């Protein structure tokens, strides 16, 4: 494998979470020894394999102890990797390196929810790498305390939006965060970062809880999310080895990186404002640094490693290619719906394992300072003794030397006592924290409270707001003694009132406050029940914990952040994971869409709240775009999430992809934070003020573009019989809503554009093979355009293409009219019908697209790639469905030649008919001469074919009427405000329409049966085949 100084990489696969189990997800990860493979859920033959230093299977093969919740392997020799197994491989190595005097770093990388925090911190009895490492560190210090004196300092920080936050700071947060500086010997460091001395693992655990509480509160106040921030824990270990007279100092960096999906979404789609966001900068730069270092490791020339491009990479410079021994643990979700993210994580880890570090044992500069001070004191003493021996009067010089001696002695004493002073100060803080925790636990046994729920399980349950007897104002206000302060997006000064009276707790929302209980918005006084789910403002999530008598041990742990979101989605009609017999066969891409929808819901709520507070007057709404509407065969393709953005003032509309919305949401957060700083009067001056922000820098705005409002399918099957089609089509939007009714025609015609008659209708479509086919597509009119009805300043165009060709044709623009008449006609021709074209006609449709235009929006221009269009507007297509590339100067000659060929074929057909008629007459004459009755045997096929064609045409016309009735049935819906009597009337009307539809369908089929039976009977009569 890799040498001693390479970054070691471990991969860990977690179990399915509740959402993945409910969705019936399949495991796409396989593992053997240190090799791991991932299968594309859409292609069973596509499997990618990777090899790492360590691979941990934690997906299955475990049991949970009922009384403790500890995860253990089912079998002692089983493949399940528990927390102890991971620590023995990774944690022990980090500890050993630190005790030897090396810097050591542990990086956790993976998508949000993939198990990073579980592996790093753990959950309840399942302690992760950090607490286990601290326990073992202090055990090792205790075991060797006679040989060495050890000092441990703890610090904890967070990087969000390129700002450093000290999670242990007792003061207010400085504007812009702490500064990162560089020193020749120390490298990059955070100026003013608090470091706390510790002499036990319990103290470290308490400091981590304090930092987590600060992180949770800051995330709420800043509208941040733990999945978008990086957390760094730094343990500084100083070892004074008395026998060797050596001091070793090492830094243990434990890094929980932001969710890796942030990096992918930031680079997955072009956006005019993509480069403006700082939230993604750290992960993007980290990827660039690792790629550059990996290239250097394999011998490629690298000009520059961009450490200085982000705060994170500055602080990790020693860990990546520098003075450190580094381990990365990459965590994976095994579910098929997370395939793209898991594959991205594996590729990232594959690059990281090639990085070469240059670790060295570190000597503490403070020890050198003590040696230098003692040496200087020895020299001063020698000078002082020489002065005494010489007997010279050098009182001034002697006084100066004695002052220097005293100063140096004070410095030495200060250095030796500094550790004890810091430790005493930290001990006092620890005692205060312990008193606060004791008070909190006492109140938990006395009162009900609300508990914060966070996307990161490590941050859930950190904040507890107790509801004592009486009324309590909940909101931003901090002035009242009877108030509980909650900060976050959409929280008002006085948001709601909680009342605890006679062991009943009620919640009363105040005017304008948004309060959701168990997925439903409430506006009236509501009595809270144990384990009710509360969402205050845009996305402040809390769980109500009732009186102690109502509780069961750990019963709140079931209600995680995903539960809140799923409940909200269910209220909107989005259901995931409802049990069904074939749930295991559900398309993973469909599950991924619902997963994305639920994940994006809180982001949309926050974007709407920021828009309101910044007076942007813009509304965001998620939509599930059904791609079946974009397929000419009507196949159920993948769905995707888009965000509909509407300006309430101008009525302008934009449709943003998921990636674009997420990127813009980051920019909105930056703008919102700048707005808050301006309100507080501590704006740093970076960037433009909110008031002076130009429109092209505004993340809430975009230039208007044509929008695809909906599509309709005009089926081509009748063209295989050369039967015309005249349809009124329902144009459906991405969510299935009716956008308009479109009248369109398909008319089989001659090369000159004249409609074919009834005699040209074919009984067998195969008769078209090898022959020319001309068709006119006519877009007549639109009716009831909802797009125009909402704003009369808008316009529309209809787009289409035949045979899935690469280009698009568009009708002229119609503005300001709800029922515009278009009368747009396009003539298509295939010079030689192939079997492929015939199959296409019998199974496909012309996809008619309704495009919406807005003021200032450029019109869509027809573009048929590689097409040749004659002066008459004739579009030539070949049998492959693509546009024919006939030279323009030969087009008219070819047209004349085709007309001559048609005339020749017509003459041949007439000649053949005359020959057949002559043969028939001869046969009749012979029969008459014989005197037999066989006159019935004459050929009647031409007349029968014509009769059958007429019957078939009548049937198609009847079915057009039936389709119109079916569309009326689909559009017939009850009014949202109708009462019970109105519903009864609606049911009666619907039953009548259903009866008419059934009767007309039955009449059409019956008429066709009768016509066919009559034709067959006449044919038999004429041919004399009656038995």
């Amino acid at each position: 494998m890799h040498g001693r100084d390479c970054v070691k990489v471990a991969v860990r696969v977690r179990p399915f979470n509740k959402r993945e189990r409910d969705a019936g997800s399949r495991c796409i990860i396989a593992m053997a020894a240190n090799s791991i493979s991932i299968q594309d859920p859409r292609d069973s033959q596509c499997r990618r394999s990777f090899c790492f230093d360590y691979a941990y299977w934690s997906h299955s093969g475990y049991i949970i102890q009922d009384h403790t919740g500890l995860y253990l392997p089912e079998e002692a020799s089983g493949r399940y990797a528990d927390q102890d197994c991971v620590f023995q491989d990774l944690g022990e190595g980090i500890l050993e390196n630190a005790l030897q005097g090396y810097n050591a770093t542990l990086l956790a990388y993976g998508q949000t929810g993939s198990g990073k925090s579980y592996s790093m911190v753990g959950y309840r009895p399942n302690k992760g790498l950090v607490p286990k490492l601290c326990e073992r560190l202090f055990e090792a210090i205790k075991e060797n305390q006679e040989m060495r004196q050890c000092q441990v300092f703890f610090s904890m920080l967070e990087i969000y939006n390129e700002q450093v936050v000290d999670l242990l700071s007792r003061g207010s947060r400085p504007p812009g965060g702490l500064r990162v500086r560089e020193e020749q010997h120390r490298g990059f460091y955070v100026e003013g970062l608090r470091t706390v001395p510790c002499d036990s693992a319990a103290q470290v655990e308490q400091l981590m809880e304090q930092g987590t509480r600060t992180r949770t509160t800051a995330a709420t106040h800043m509208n941040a999310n733990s999945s978008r921030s990086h957390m760094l824990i730094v343990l500084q270990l100083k070892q004074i080895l008395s026998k060797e007279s050596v001091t070793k100092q090492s830094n243990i960096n434990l890094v929980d990186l932001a969710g890796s999906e942030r990096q992918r979404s930031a680079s997955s789609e072009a956006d005019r404002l993509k480069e403006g966001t700082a939230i993604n900068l750290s992960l993007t730069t980290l990827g660039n640094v690792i790629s550059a270092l990996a290239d250097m490791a394999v011998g490629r020339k690298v000009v520059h490693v961009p450490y200085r491009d982000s705060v994170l990479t500055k602080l990790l410079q020693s860990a990546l290619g520098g003075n450190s021994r580094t381990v990365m643990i990459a965590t994976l979700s095994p579910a098929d719906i997370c395939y793209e993210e898991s594959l991205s994580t594996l590729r990232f880890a594959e690059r990281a394992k090639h990085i070469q570090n240059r670790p060295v044992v570190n000597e503490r500069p403070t020890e050198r300072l003590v040696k230098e001070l003692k040496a200087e004191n020895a020299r001063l003493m020698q000078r002082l003794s020489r002065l005494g021996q010489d007997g010279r009067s050098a009182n001034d010089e002697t006084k100066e030397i004695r002052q220097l001696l005293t100063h140096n002695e004070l410095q030495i004493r200060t250095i030796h006592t500094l550790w004890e002073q810091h430790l005493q100060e930290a001990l006092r803080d620890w005692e205060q924290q312990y008193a606060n925790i004791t008070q909190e636990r006492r109140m938990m046994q006395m009162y009900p409270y609300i508990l914060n729920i966070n996307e990161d399980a490590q941050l859930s349950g950190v904040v507890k707001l107790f509801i004592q007897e009486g009324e309590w104002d909940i909101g931003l206000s901090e002035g009242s003694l009877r108030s509980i302060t909650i900060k976050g997006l959409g929280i008002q000064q006085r948001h709601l009132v909680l009342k605890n009276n006679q062991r009943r707790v009620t919640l009363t929302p105040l005017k304008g406050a948004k309060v959701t209980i168990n997925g439903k918005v409430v506006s009236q006084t509501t009595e809270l029940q144990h384990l009710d789910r509360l969402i205050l403002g845009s996305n402040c999530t809390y769980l109500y914990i009732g009186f102690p008598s109502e509780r069961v041990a750990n019963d709140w742990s079931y209600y995680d952040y995903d539960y809140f979101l799923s409940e909200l989605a269910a209220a909107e009609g989005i259901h995931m994971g409802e049990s069904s017999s074939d749930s295991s066969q559900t398309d993973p891409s469909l599950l991924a869409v619902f997963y994305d929808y639920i994940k994006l819901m809180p982001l949309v709520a926050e974007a709407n709240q920021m828009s309101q507070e910044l007076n942007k007057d813009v509304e965001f709404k998620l939509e599930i775009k059904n791609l079946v509407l974009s397929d000419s065969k009507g196949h159920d393709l993948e769905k995707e999430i888009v965000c509909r953005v509407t300006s309430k003032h101008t009525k302008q509309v934009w449709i943003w992809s998921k990636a674009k919305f997420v990127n813009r949401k980051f920019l909105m957060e930056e703008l919102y934070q700048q707005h808050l700083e301006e309100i507080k009067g501590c704006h740093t001056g970076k960037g433009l003020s909110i008031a002076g922000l130009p429109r092209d820098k505004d993340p809430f705005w975009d230039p208007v573009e044509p929008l695809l409002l909906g599509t309709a399918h005009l089926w081509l099957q009748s063209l295989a019989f050369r039967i015309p089609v005249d349809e009124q089509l329902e144009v459906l939007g991405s969510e299935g809503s009716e956008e308009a009714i479109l009248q369109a025609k398909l008319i089989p015609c001659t090369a000159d554009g004249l409609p074919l008659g009834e005699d040209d209708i074919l009984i067998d479509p195969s008769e078209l093979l090898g022959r020319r086919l001309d068709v006119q597509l006519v877009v007549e009119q639109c009716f009831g355009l909802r797009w125009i009805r909402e704003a009369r300043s808008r316009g529309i165009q209809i787009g289409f293409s035949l045979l899935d060709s690469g280009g698009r044709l568009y009708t002229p623009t119609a503005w300001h009219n709800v029922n515009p008449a278009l009368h747009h006609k396009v003539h298509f021709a295939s010079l030689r019908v192939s079997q492929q074209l015939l199959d296409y006609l019998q199974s496909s449709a012309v996809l008619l697209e309704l495009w919406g235009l807005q003021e200032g929006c450029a019109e869509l221009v027809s573009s048929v790639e590689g097409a040749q269009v004659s002066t008459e507007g004739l579009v030539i297509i070949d049998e492959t469905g693509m546009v024919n590339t006939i030279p323009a100067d030969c087009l008219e000659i070819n047209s004349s030649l085709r007309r001559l060929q048609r005339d020749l074929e017509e003459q041949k057909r007439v000649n053949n008919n005359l020959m057949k008629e002559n043969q028939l007459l001869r046969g009749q004459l012979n029969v008459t001469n014989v005197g037999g009755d066989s006159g019935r045997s004459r050929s009647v096929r031409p007349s029968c074919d014509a009769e059958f064609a007429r019957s078939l045409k009548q049937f198609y016309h009847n079915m057009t009427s039936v389709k119109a009735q079916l569309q009326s049935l689909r559009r017939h819906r009850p009014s949202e405000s109708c009462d019970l009597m109105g519903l009864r009337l609606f049911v009666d009307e619907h039953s009548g329409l259903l009866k008419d539809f059934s009767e007309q369908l039955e009449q059409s089929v019956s008429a066709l049966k009768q016509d066919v039976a009559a034709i067959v009977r006449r044919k038999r009569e004429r041919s004399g085949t009656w038995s």
Side-chain angles (χ1 to χ4, degrees):
M1 292 293 292
H2 296 286
R4 177 182 178 86
D5 296 333
C6 281
V7 171
K8 293 188 180 298
V9 177
V11 173
R12 191 178 191 187
V13 183
R14 65 158 170 78
F16 285 138
N17 59 28
K18 180 180 182 298
R19 183 184 296 169
E20 292 164 348
R21 287 194 302 271
D22 291 345
S25 298
R26 293 186 297 108
C27 178
I28 55 172
I29 303 291
M31 193 177 288
N34 292 342
S35 177
I36 187 168
S37 63
I38 182 169
Q39 178 185 312
D40 188 337
R42 294 158 297 191
D43 183 1
S44 59
Q45 303 301 316
C46 180
R47 182 176 287 276
R48 294 175 171 85
S49 297
F50 303 86
C51 191
F52 300 103
D53 298 282
Y54 304 97
Y56 301 111
W57 180 263
S58 301
H59 174 63
S60 59
Y62 61 89
I63 57 173
I64 306 175
Q65 284 188 348
D66 293 334
H67 61 287
T68 64
L70 188 66
Y71 284 68
L72 296 171
E74 281 182 335
E75 303 175 1
S77 59
R79 65 189 301 208
Y80 176 75
D82 60 7
Q83 298 283 61
D84 285 337
C85 175
V86 176
F87 178 75
Q88 287 171 9
D89 287 342
L90 306 183
E92 291 285 3
I94 290 173
L95 180 61
E96 181 183 350
N97 287 328
L99 291 174
Q100 291 176 2
Y102 292 101
N103 291 332
T105 302
L106 174 63
L107 300 168
Y109 182 86
Q111 75 178 103
T112 302
S114 62
K116 296 193 309 295
S117 296
Y118 179 80
S119 295
M120 290 289 283
V121 182
Y123 187 64
R124 293 184 177 171
N126 303 284
K127 292 185 178 180
L129 285 163
V130 177
K132 284 181 177 291
L133 180 64
C134 293
E135 288 177 0
R136 283 288 297 115
L137 173 62
F138 285 101
E139 287 176 7
I141 291 173
K142 189 174 182 181
E143 292 169 0
N144 299 282
Q145 60 185 354
E146 295 180 357
M147 300 171 56
R148 66 186 79 183
Q149 178 189 352
C150 293
Q151 300 174 1
V152 178
F153 289 87
F154 179 91
S155 56
M156 190 173 180
L157 62 92
E158 181 181 44
I159 301 173
Y160 173 76
N161 195 19
E162 287 300 285
Q163 295 183 7
V164 178
V165 179
D166 186 351
L167 297 178
L168 301 181
S169 174
R170 290 172 294 189
S172 59
R173 173 176 170 245
L178 300 179
R179 300 186 64 178
V180 175
R181 296 192 177 276
E182 185 179 14
E183 201 175 81
Q184 184 176 0
H185 298 293
R186 294 177 62 183
F188 289 105
Y189 68 98
V190 178
E191 184 181 42
L193 181 67
R194 186 181 178 212
T195 57
V196 182
C198 303
D199 62 356
S200 70
Q203 280 185 290
V204 172
E205 185 176 350
Q206 183 57 48
L207 288 168
M208 286 179 61
E209 289 184 11
Q210 177 187 339
T212 301
R213 182 183 293 272
T214 304
R215 190 182 186 200
T216 305
T217 307
T220 305
H221 292 185
M222 293 173 58
N223 182 40
N225 189 299
S226 65
S227 65
R228 297 171 228 161
S229 65
H230 314 282
M231 183 186 71
L232 280 75
I233 292 174
V234 182
L235 290 168
Q236 295 178 3
L237 173 62
K238 177 183 177 182
Q239 305 171 79
I240 303 173
L241 306 176
S242 53
K243 287 186 178 181
E244 293 86 352
S245 298
V246 171
T247 297
K248 295 180 180 178
Q249 177 169 322
S250 54
N251 289 341
I252 305 174
N253 300 301
L254 306 169
V255 187
D256 188 352
L257 295 170
S260 60
E261 71 276 4
R262 307 294 165 194
Q263 181 188 10
R264 197 172 74 89
S265 66
S267 59
S268 60
E269 179 175 310
D271 182 6
R272 66 181 181 88
L273 295 180
K274 183 182 70 175
E275 300 303 324
T277 179
I279 293 179
N280 292 305
L281 182 61
S282 286
L283 266 186
T284 303
T285 307
L286 178 63
N288 295 337
V289 166
I290 287 180
S291 295
L293 293 173
D295 289 344
M296 288 173 61
V298 296
R300 294 178 186 158
K301 184 178 180 181
V302 175
V303 177
H304 172 63
V305 180
Y307 290 114
R308 297 175 179 274
D309 289 359
S310 77
V311 170
L312 177 69
T313 48
K314 285 178 182 177
L315 297 179
L316 292 182
Q317 182 173 8
S318 64
L320 300 171
N323 178 21
S324 177
R325 289 192 169 160
T326 302
V327 175
M328 173 185 287
I329 180 168
T331 54
L332 303 176
S333 164
D336 46 11
I337 60 178
C338 298
Y339 168 73
E340 295 292 343
E341 298 297 349
S342 297
L343 179 59
S344 174
T345 300
L346 287 169
R347 286 171 171 164
F348 188 91
E350 176 73 16
R351 294 197 302 271
K353 74 180 185 180
H354 295 292
I355 297 175
Q356 298 274 345
N357 284 351
R358 302 179 299 278
V360 296
V361 175
N362 302 290
E363 183 182 357
R364 173 71 171 162
T366 304
E367 186 64 20
R368 290 201 302 269
L369 178 60
V370 172
K371 291 178 181 178
E372 290 168 2
L373 288 170
K374 288 182 177 180
E376 185 178 354
N377 278 1
R379 289 194 301 272
L380 290 172
M381 290 296 294
Q382 288 177 1
R383 286 182 61 191
L384 196 59
S385 64
R386 283 200 302 270
L387 285 173
Q389 291 172 3
D390 294 343
R392 292 177 296 177
S393 63
N395 292 333
D396 292 341
E397 188 174 356
T398 304
K399 185 177 180 181
E400 183 182 350
I401 291 174
R402 291 189 183 279
Q403 286 178 347
L404 286 172
L405 280 168
T406 304
H407 181 263
N408 289 348
E409 290 291 342
L410 285 173
Q411 277 193 280
I412 293 171
R413 194 176 302 117
T414 300
I415 290 171
H416 283 303
T417 59
L418 192 60
W419 162 252
E420 285 80 5
Q421 290 176 356
H422 283 319
L423 196 58
Q424 289 299 319
E425 183 181 349
L427 188 59
R428 287 193 295 270
D429 287 347
W430 186 82
E431 289 173 351
Q432 180 62 45
Q433 291 289 331
Y434 183 79
N436 293 339
I437 292 171
T438 304
Q439 172 71 8
E440 182 179 271
R441 288 174 179 170
R442 187 165 55 248
M443 294 186 71
M444 288 172 63
Q445 301 305 316
M446 296 172 60
Y447 303 109
Y449 57 92
I450 57 176
L451 190 74
N452 81 298
I453 301 297
N454 194 279
E455 181 180 5
D456 187 342
Q458 306 301 322
L459 304 187
S460 289
V462 174
V463 178
K464 300 177 183 69
L465 304 175
F466 295 96
I467 309 168
Q468 302 181 49
E469 289 285 336
E471 289 190 1
W472 297 86
D473 290 339
I474 309 296
L476 297 173
S477 177
E478 301 177 0
S480 172
L481 295 175
R482 306 291 297 178
S483 65
I484 299 175
T485 302
I486 291 180
K487 295 185 179 181
L489 263 177
I491 302 297
Q492 301 180 164
Q493 287 294 322
R494 294 182 69 242
H495 199 82
L496 58 93
V497 174
L498 286 175
K499 184 177 181 181
N500 182 354
N501 185 27
Q502 298 180 351
R503 296 186 65 82
R504 292 176 66 247
V505 176
T506 58
L507 181 152
T508 305
L510 299 179
K511 184 178 179 181
K514 183 178 180 182
V515 177
T516 303
I517 301 179
N518 301 337
K520 298 179 180 178
V521 176
V522 296
S523 56
Q524 304 295 328
T525 299
T526 305
E527 182 176 353
L528 295 180
Q529 305 297 324
H530 178 53
L531 299 180
D532 274 351
R533 282 79 62 201
L534 313 178
I535 302 179
L536 312 181
S538 64
N539 195 34
C540 297
T541 49
Y542 292 91
L543 187 68
Y544 171 70
I545 306 297
F547 289 90
S549 59
E550 301 174 303
R551 305 171 197 167
V552 179
N554 296 329
D555 57 353
W556 67 270
S557 59
Y558 177 76
Y559 298 97
D560 58 6
Y561 189 73
D562 281 352
Y563 191 98
F564 279 67
L565 296 188
S566 298
E567 198 168 48
L568 273 180
E572 293 188 11
I574 306 295
H575 298 274
M576 273 193 65
E578 295 191 350
S579 58
S580 60
S581 58
D582 59 343
S583 62
S584 61
Q585 302 299 318
T586 308
D587 184 357
S589 64
L590 182 61
L591 296 177
V593 165
F594 287 120
Y595 186 89
D596 285 343
Y597 188 95
I598 290 176
K599 282 286 189 183
L600 289 173
M601 283 176 59
L603 303 187
V604 169
E606 292 168 2
N608 281 320
Q609 186 63 40
M610 285 188 284
S611 170
Q612 180 179 333
E613 294 189 26
L614 294 172
N615 297 319
K616 293 298 181 179
D617 211 25
V618 173
E619 182 181 28
F620 300 88
K621 180 186 175 185
L622 286 179
E623 293 182 354
I624 299 179
K625 185 177 179 182
N626 189 349
L627 299 185
V628 65
L629 301 175
S630 303
D631 182 56
S632 63
K633 296 183 182 295
H635 291 168
D636 191 6
L637 302 176
E638 295 181 5
K639 296 175 175 59
E640 65 180 25
I641 299 292
V642 295
C643 183
R644 186 182 185 91
V645 186
T646 306
S647 170
K648 297 178 183 178
H649 176 66
T650 64
K651 302 298 182 183
Q652 290 179 329
V653 179
W654 302 270
I655 299 295
W656 290 351
S657 68
K658 169 194 165 185
K660 184 172 183 177
F661 168 72
V662 170
N663 182 62
R664 290 299 180 89
K665 171 65 167 49
F666 293 153
L667 292 166
M668 293 172 199
E669 290 177 15
E670 293 180 17
L671 194 65
Y672 184 73
Q673 292 304 319
Q674 188 176 326
H675 167 69
L676 295 181
E677 289 174 2
E678 288 180 0
I679 292 176
K680 294 176 183 178
C682 58
H683 181 46
T684 59
K686 293 180 181 178
L688 294 166
S689 67
I690 303 299
L693 187 71
R695 192 168 65 169
D696 62 345
K697 299 292 184 183
D698 189 350
F700 291 88
W701 179 86
D702 247 357
V704 288
E705 297 177 346
L707 302 180
L708 179 60
L709 304 177
T711 56
H713 287 78
L714 182 59
W715 293 96
L716 302 171
Q717 186 177 13
S718 63
L719 291 183
F721 300 92
R722 293 206 298 209
I723 296 175
V725 178
D726 187 351
E727 296 269 17
Q728 285 195 347
L729 306 167
E730 191 175 24
V731 181
L732 299 178
S734 61
E735 294 187 308
S737 58
E738 182 185 295
E739 297 292 333
I741 300 296
L742 180 62
Q743 183 180 358
K745 299 177 182 179
L746 285 171
I747 305 173
C749 61
T750 66
D752 298 325
L754 299 175
L756 297 179
E758 292 182 357
D759 294 338
D760 296 299
I761 295 176
L762 301 177
I763 305 303
D764 184 0
S766 62
E767 295 180 42
L768 272 179
L769 291 173
R771 300 172 64 180
R772 177 187 171 110
L773 176 65
D774 288 86
V775 179
Q776 286 184 343
L777 172 60
V778 183
V779 182
E780 287 285 2
Q781 191 170 5
C782 272
F783 302 97
L785 282 162
R786 190 171 72 169
W787 174 250
I788 307 292
R789 213 165 37 230
E790 292 173 352
R792 289 279 179 168
S793 61
R794 296 171 175 170
I796 60 104
Q797 284 181 274
I798 306 296
F800 53 88
S801 67
L802 195 63
L803 306 176
D804 292 338
S805 60
R808 278 284 186 275
L809 299 174
Y810 296 97
T811 65
T813 305
W815 292 92
H816 321 306
N817 195 338
V818 178
N819 304 305
L822 301 170
H823 305 307
H824 184 70
K825 182 187 298 183
V826 178
H827 187 157
F828 294 95
S830 175
L831 305 182
R832 185 180 180 86
V833 175
S834 65
Q835 184 63 51
Q836 183 180 355
L837 175 58
L838 192 59
D839 292 341
Y840 182 90
L841 294 177
Q842 293 179 299
S843 63
S844 303
V846 175
L847 195 67
L848 299 168
E849 300 171 339
L850 176 62
W851 289 85
L853 305 181
Q854 308 171 71
E855 284 185 305
C857 175
E859 297 182 5
L860 294 165
V861 179
S862 297
S863 171
V864 185
E865 298 176 4
Q868 291 299 328
V869 181
S870 69
T871 54
E872 295 85 8
L874 179 69
V875 180
I876 310 296
I877 53 176
D878 65 16
E879 70 276 3
T880 63
M882 299 302 291
V883 182
N884 194 9
T885 55
I886 301 174
D889 55 353
C890 299
L891 190 60
E892 296 301 329
I893 298 175
N894 288 338
S895 180
S896 301
L897 181 59
R898 287 194 298 273
R899 283 196 293 271
L900 291 173
Q901 288 175 339
R902 286 199 306 273
D903 293 341
L904 180 60
E905 289 175 0
E906 181 66 20
Q907 293 299 326
K908 287 181 179 179
R909 188 178 66 81
V910 172
N911 188 37
N912 289 334
N913 289 339
L914 289 174
M915 291 175 65
K916 290 178 182 178
E917 189 175 354
N918 286 344
Q919 291 174 358
L920 178 63
L921 291 173
R922 288 194 190 96
Q924 290 176 346
L925 183 61
N926 293 335
V927 169
T928 302
N929 292 337
V930 173
D933 294 332
S934 59
R936 296 190 192 96
S937 63
R938 64 184 178 274
S939 172
V940 293
R941 175 175 174 81
S943 60
C944 290
D945 285 355
E947 291 174 1
F948 187 72
R950 282 192 289 273
S951 299
L952 193 60
K953 180 181 178 182
Q954 183 60 43
F955 175 71
Y956 270 101
H957 285 312
N958 291 342
M959 289 306 295
T960 299
S961 178
V962 169
K963 282 185 179 178
Q965 280 200 318
L966 179 60
Q967 290 176 356
S968 298
L969 271 171
R970 292 173 62 184
R971 293 194 299 271
H972 189 240
R973 301 183 182 95
S975 171
E976 294 181 359
S977 59
C978 68
D979 54 10
L980 182 60
M981 182 62 70
L983 284 173
R984 287 175 178 170
L985 291 173
F986 167 77
V987 170
D988 291 341
E989 292 175 3
H990 204 73
S991 299
L993 289 173
L994 192 60
K995 183 180 178 183
D996 293 343
F997 169 75
S998 177
E999 289 177 353
Q1000 187 156 357
L1001 180 61
E1002 187 175 349
Q1003 288 174 3
S1004 299
V1005 175
S1006 177
L1008 180 62
K1009 288 180 179 178
Q1010 291 174 4
D1011 289 345
V1012 171
I1015 292 169
V1016 172
R1017 184 169 57 251
R1018 285 195 294 272
K1019 180 177 180 180
R1020 289 177 175 174
E1021 288 174 353
R1022 293 170 185 169
S1023 60
T1025 57
W1026 291 107
S1027 58

